Coordinates of all heavy atoms in Angstrom, one line a residue:
Y358 N -8.4 -26.0 2.2 CA -7.3 -26.3 1.4 C -7.7 -27.4 0.4 O -8.3 -28.4 0.7 CB -6.2 -26.9 2.3 CG -4.9 -27.2 1.6 CD1 -4.1 -26.1 1.1 CD2 -4.5 -28.5 1.3 CE1 -2.9 -26.4 0.5 CE2 -3.3 -28.7 0.7 CZ -2.5 -27.7 0.2 OH -1.3 -27.9 -0.4
N359 N -7.3 -27.2 -0.9 CA -7.6 -28.1 -1.9 C -6.3 -28.9 -2.2 O -5.3 -28.5 -2.7 CB -7.9 -27.3 -3.2 CG -8.4 -28.2 -4.3 OD1 -7.9 -29.3 -4.6 ND2 -9.4 -27.7 -5.0
E360 N -6.4 -30.2 -1.9 CA -5.3 -31.1 -2.0 C -4.8 -31.3 -3.4 O -3.6 -31.5 -3.7 CB -5.7 -32.5 -1.4 CG -6.0 -32.5 0.1 CD -4.7 -32.4 0.9 OE1 -3.6 -32.5 0.3 OE2 -4.8 -32.3 2.1
E361 N -5.8 -31.2 -4.4 CA -5.4 -31.4 -5.8 C -4.6 -30.2 -6.3 O -3.6 -30.4 -7.0 CB -6.7 -31.6 -6.6 CG -7.4 -32.9 -6.3 CD -8.6 -33.2 -7.1 OE1 -8.8 -32.3 -8.1 OE2 -9.3 -34.1 -6.9
T362 N -5.1 -29.0 -6.1 CA -4.5 -27.8 -6.6 C -3.3 -27.3 -5.7 O -2.5 -26.5 -6.1 CB -5.5 -26.7 -6.8 OG1 -6.0 -26.3 -5.5 CG2 -6.6 -27.1 -7.7
E363 N -3.4 -27.8 -4.4 CA -2.4 -27.3 -3.4 C -2.5 -25.8 -3.2 O -1.5 -25.2 -2.9 CB -0.9 -27.7 -3.8 CG -0.7 -29.2 -3.9 CD 0.7 -29.6 -4.2 OE1 1.5 -28.8 -4.7 OE2 1.1 -30.8 -3.9
H364 N -3.7 -25.3 -3.2 CA -4.0 -23.9 -3.0 C -5.1 -23.8 -1.9 O -5.9 -24.8 -1.8 CB -4.4 -23.2 -4.2 CG -3.4 -22.9 -5.2 ND1 -2.2 -22.3 -4.9 CD2 -3.3 -23.3 -6.5 CE1 -1.4 -22.2 -6.0 NE2 -2.0 -22.9 -7.0
W365 N -5.1 -22.7 -1.2 CA -6.2 -22.4 -0.3 C -7.3 -21.8 -1.0 O -7.1 -20.7 -1.6 CB -5.7 -21.6 0.9 CG -4.9 -22.3 1.9 CD1 -3.6 -22.5 2.0 CD2 -5.5 -23.0 3.1 NE1 -3.2 -23.3 3.0 CE2 -4.4 -23.6 3.7 CE3 -6.8 -23.2 3.6 CZ2 -4.5 -24.3 4.9 CZ3 -6.9 -23.9 4.7 CH2 -5.8 -24.5 5.4
E366 N -8.5 -22.3 -1.0 CA -9.6 -21.7 -1.7 C -10.3 -20.8 -0.7 O -10.4 -21.1 0.5 CB -10.6 -22.8 -2.2 CG -10.0 -23.7 -3.2 CD -11.0 -24.8 -3.7 OE1 -12.1 -24.9 -3.1 OE2 -10.6 -25.5 -4.6
F367 N -10.8 -19.6 -1.2 CA -11.4 -18.7 -0.3 C -12.7 -18.2 -0.9 O -13.0 -18.4 -2.1 CB -10.4 -17.5 -0.1 CG -9.9 -16.8 -1.4 CD1 -10.5 -15.7 -2.0 CD2 -8.8 -17.4 -2.0 CE1 -10.0 -15.2 -3.1 CE2 -8.3 -16.8 -3.2 CZ -8.9 -15.7 -3.7
G368 N -13.5 -17.6 -0.1 CA -14.9 -17.1 -0.4 C -14.9 -15.9 -1.3 O -13.8 -15.4 -1.7
G369 N -16.1 -15.6 -1.7 CA -16.3 -14.4 -2.6 C -16.0 -13.1 -2.0 O -16.3 -12.9 -0.8
I370 N -15.3 -12.2 -2.8 CA -15.0 -10.9 -2.3 C -16.2 -9.9 -2.6 O -16.8 -10.1 -3.7 CB -13.7 -10.4 -3.0 CG1 -12.5 -11.3 -2.6 CG2 -13.4 -8.9 -2.7 CD1 -11.3 -11.0 -3.3
D371 N -16.4 -9.0 -1.7 CA -17.5 -8.0 -1.9 C -17.0 -6.9 -2.9 O -16.5 -5.9 -2.4 CB -17.9 -7.4 -0.6 CG -19.1 -6.5 -0.7 OD1 -19.5 -6.2 -1.8 OD2 -19.7 -6.1 0.4
W372 N -17.2 -7.2 -4.2 CA -16.7 -6.2 -5.1 C -17.5 -4.9 -5.1 O -17.0 -3.9 -5.6 CB -16.6 -6.8 -6.5 CG -15.6 -7.9 -6.6 CD1 -15.8 -9.2 -6.8 CD2 -14.2 -7.7 -6.4 NE1 -14.6 -9.9 -6.8 CE2 -13.6 -9.0 -6.6 CE3 -13.4 -6.7 -6.2 CZ2 -12.2 -9.2 -6.5 CZ3 -12.0 -6.8 -6.1 CH2 -11.4 -8.1 -6.2
D373 N -18.7 -5.0 -4.7 CA -19.5 -3.7 -4.6 C -18.8 -2.8 -3.6 O -18.7 -1.6 -3.8 CB -20.9 -4.0 -4.1 CG -21.8 -4.7 -5.1 OD1 -21.4 -4.6 -6.3 OD2 -22.8 -5.4 -4.8
E374 N -18.3 -3.3 -2.5 CA -17.6 -2.5 -1.5 C -16.3 -1.9 -2.2 O -16.0 -0.8 -2.0 CB -17.2 -3.3 -0.3 CG -16.4 -2.6 0.7 CD -16.0 -3.4 1.9 OE1 -16.7 -4.3 2.3 OE2 -14.8 -3.2 2.4
F375 N -15.6 -2.8 -2.9 CA -14.3 -2.4 -3.5 C -14.6 -1.2 -4.5 O -13.9 -0.1 -4.4 CB -13.7 -3.5 -4.3 CG -12.6 -3.1 -5.2 CD1 -11.3 -2.9 -4.7 CD2 -12.8 -2.9 -6.6 CE1 -10.2 -2.5 -5.5 CE2 -11.7 -2.6 -7.4 CZ -10.4 -2.4 -6.8
W376 N -15.6 -1.3 -5.4 CA -15.8 -0.3 -6.3 C -16.3 1.0 -5.7 O -16.1 2.1 -6.1 CB -16.8 -0.7 -7.4 CG -16.2 -1.7 -8.3 CD1 -16.5 -3.0 -8.5 CD2 -15.1 -1.5 -9.2 NE1 -15.7 -3.7 -9.4 CE2 -14.8 -2.8 -9.9 CE3 -14.3 -0.4 -9.5 CZ2 -13.8 -2.9 -10.8 CZ3 -13.3 -0.6 -10.4 CH2 -13.0 -1.8 -11.1
A377 N -17.1 0.9 -4.6 CA -17.6 2.0 -3.8 C -16.4 2.8 -3.3 O -16.3 4.0 -3.4 CB -18.5 1.6 -2.7
V378 N -15.4 2.1 -2.7 CA -14.2 2.7 -2.2 C -13.4 3.4 -3.3 O -13.0 4.6 -3.2 CB -13.3 1.7 -1.4 CG1 -12.0 2.3 -1.0 CG2 -14.0 1.2 -0.2
V379 N -13.2 2.7 -4.4 CA -12.4 3.2 -5.5 C -13.1 4.5 -6.1 O -12.4 5.4 -6.5 CB -12.3 2.2 -6.6 CG1 -11.7 2.8 -7.9 CG2 -11.4 1.0 -6.1
K380 N -14.4 4.6 -6.1 CA -15.1 5.7 -6.6 C -15.3 6.8 -5.6 O -16.0 7.8 -5.9 CB -16.5 5.2 -7.2 CG -16.3 4.3 -8.4 CD -17.7 3.8 -8.9 CE -17.5 2.9 -10.1 NZ -18.8 2.3 -10.5
G381 N -14.7 6.7 -4.4 CA -14.7 7.8 -3.4 C -15.8 7.7 -2.4 O -16.1 8.7 -1.7
H382 N -16.4 6.5 -2.3 CA -17.6 6.4 -1.3 C -17.3 5.4 -0.2 O -18.2 4.7 0.3 CB -18.8 6.0 -2.1 CG -19.2 6.9 -3.2 ND1 -19.4 8.2 -3.0 CD2 -19.2 6.7 -4.6 CE1 -19.7 8.8 -4.2 NE2 -19.5 7.9 -5.2
G383 N -16.0 5.2 0.1 CA -15.6 4.3 1.2 C -15.8 4.9 2.6 O -16.2 6.0 2.7
P384 N -15.4 4.1 3.6 CA -15.6 4.6 5.0 C -14.9 5.9 5.3 O -15.4 6.7 6.1 CB -15.0 3.4 5.8 CG -15.0 2.2 4.9 CD -14.8 2.8 3.5
C385 N -13.7 6.1 4.7 CA -12.9 7.3 5.1 C -12.4 8.1 3.9 O -11.5 8.9 4.0 CB -11.7 6.9 6.0 SG -12.1 6.1 7.5
N386 N -13.0 7.9 2.7 CA -12.5 8.6 1.5 C -12.4 10.1 1.7 O -11.4 10.7 1.5 CB -13.4 8.2 0.3 CG -13.1 6.9 -0.3 OD1 -13.4 5.9 0.4 ND2 -12.6 6.8 -1.5
R387 N -13.6 10.7 2.1 CA -13.7 12.1 2.2 C -12.8 12.6 3.3 O -12.1 13.6 3.2 CB -15.1 12.5 2.4 CG -16.0 12.2 1.2 CD -17.4 12.9 1.4 NE -18.2 12.6 0.3 CZ -19.4 11.9 0.3 NH1 -19.8 11.6 1.5 NH2 -20.1 11.7 -0.8
E388 N -12.8 11.9 4.4 CA -12.0 12.3 5.6 C -10.5 12.3 5.2 O -9.7 13.3 5.6 CB -12.2 11.3 6.7 CG -11.3 11.5 7.9 CD -11.5 10.4 9.0 OE1 -12.6 9.8 9.0 OE2 -10.6 10.2 9.7
R389 N -10.0 11.3 4.5 CA -8.6 11.2 4.2 C -8.2 12.3 3.2 O -7.1 12.8 3.3 CB -8.3 9.8 3.7 CG -8.5 8.7 4.7 CD -7.5 8.6 5.8 NE -7.9 8.0 7.0 CZ -8.0 6.7 7.2 NH1 -7.6 5.9 6.3 NH2 -8.3 6.3 8.4
L390 N -9.0 12.5 2.2 CA -8.7 13.5 1.2 C -8.7 14.9 1.8 O -7.8 15.8 1.5 CB -9.6 13.4 0.0 CG -9.1 12.7 -1.2 CD1 -10.2 12.7 -2.3 CD2 -7.8 13.2 -1.7
E391 N -9.7 15.1 2.7 CA -9.7 16.4 3.3 C -8.5 16.7 4.2 O -8.0 17.8 4.3 CB -11.0 16.5 4.2 CG -11.3 17.9 4.8 CD -11.3 19.0 3.7 OE1 -11.8 18.8 2.6 OE2 -10.7 20.1 4.1
A392 N -8.1 15.6 4.9 CA -6.9 15.8 5.7 C -5.7 16.1 4.9 O -4.8 16.9 5.3 CB -6.6 14.5 6.5
R393 N -5.6 15.5 3.7 CA -4.5 15.7 2.8 C -4.5 17.1 2.3 O -3.5 17.8 2.2 CB -4.5 14.7 1.6 CG -3.3 14.8 0.8 CD -2.1 14.3 1.5 NE -0.8 14.6 0.8 CZ -0.1 15.7 1.0 NH1 -0.6 16.7 1.7 NH2 1.0 15.9 0.3
R394 N -5.7 17.6 1.9 CA -5.8 19.0 1.4 C -5.5 20.0 2.5 O -4.8 21.0 2.3 CB -7.3 19.3 1.0 CG -7.7 18.5 -0.3 CD -9.0 18.9 -0.8 NE -9.5 18.1 -1.8 CZ -10.5 17.2 -1.7 NH1 -11.2 17.1 -0.6 NH2 -10.9 16.4 -2.7
K395 N -5.9 19.7 3.8 CA -5.6 20.6 4.9 C -4.0 20.7 5.1 O -3.5 21.7 5.3 CB -6.3 20.1 6.1 CG -6.1 21.0 7.4 CD -7.0 20.4 8.5 CE -6.9 21.3 9.8 NZ -5.6 21.2 10.4
A396 N -3.4 19.5 5.1 CA -2.0 19.5 5.3 C -1.2 20.2 4.2 O -0.2 20.9 4.4 CB -1.5 18.0 5.3
H397 N -1.7 20.1 2.9 CA -1.1 20.8 1.8 C -1.2 22.3 2.0 O -0.2 23.0 1.7 CB -1.8 20.3 0.5 CG -1.1 20.8 -0.7 ND1 0.1 20.3 -1.2 CD2 -1.5 21.8 -1.6 CE1 0.4 21.0 -2.3 NE2 -0.5 21.9 -2.6
A398 N -2.4 22.7 2.4 CA -2.6 24.2 2.6 C -1.7 24.7 3.7 O -1.1 25.8 3.6 CB -4.1 24.5 2.8
E399 N -1.7 24.0 4.8 CA -0.9 24.5 5.9 C 0.6 24.4 5.7 O 1.4 25.1 6.4 CB -1.3 23.7 7.2 CG -2.7 23.9 7.7 CD -3.1 23.1 8.9 OE1 -2.3 22.2 9.2 OE2 -4.2 23.3 9.4

Side-chain angles (χ1 to χ4, degrees):
Y358 187 71
N359 188 319
E360 296 284 354
E361 294 183 5
T362 64
E363 298 184 339
H364 289 301
W365 284 91
E366 297 179 353
F367 52 95
I370 295 172
D371 186 350
W372 292 115
D373 288 339
E374 177 184 325
F375 171 80
W376 289 115
V378 172
V379 169
K380 293 176 182 178
H382 306 297
C385 298
N386 283 66
R387 293 190 181 122
E388 175 188 334
R389 298 286 157 80
L390 263 183
E391 186 54 39
R393 189 67 192 88
R394 294 188 187 109
K395 183 173 182 289
H397 186 74
E399 292 179 351

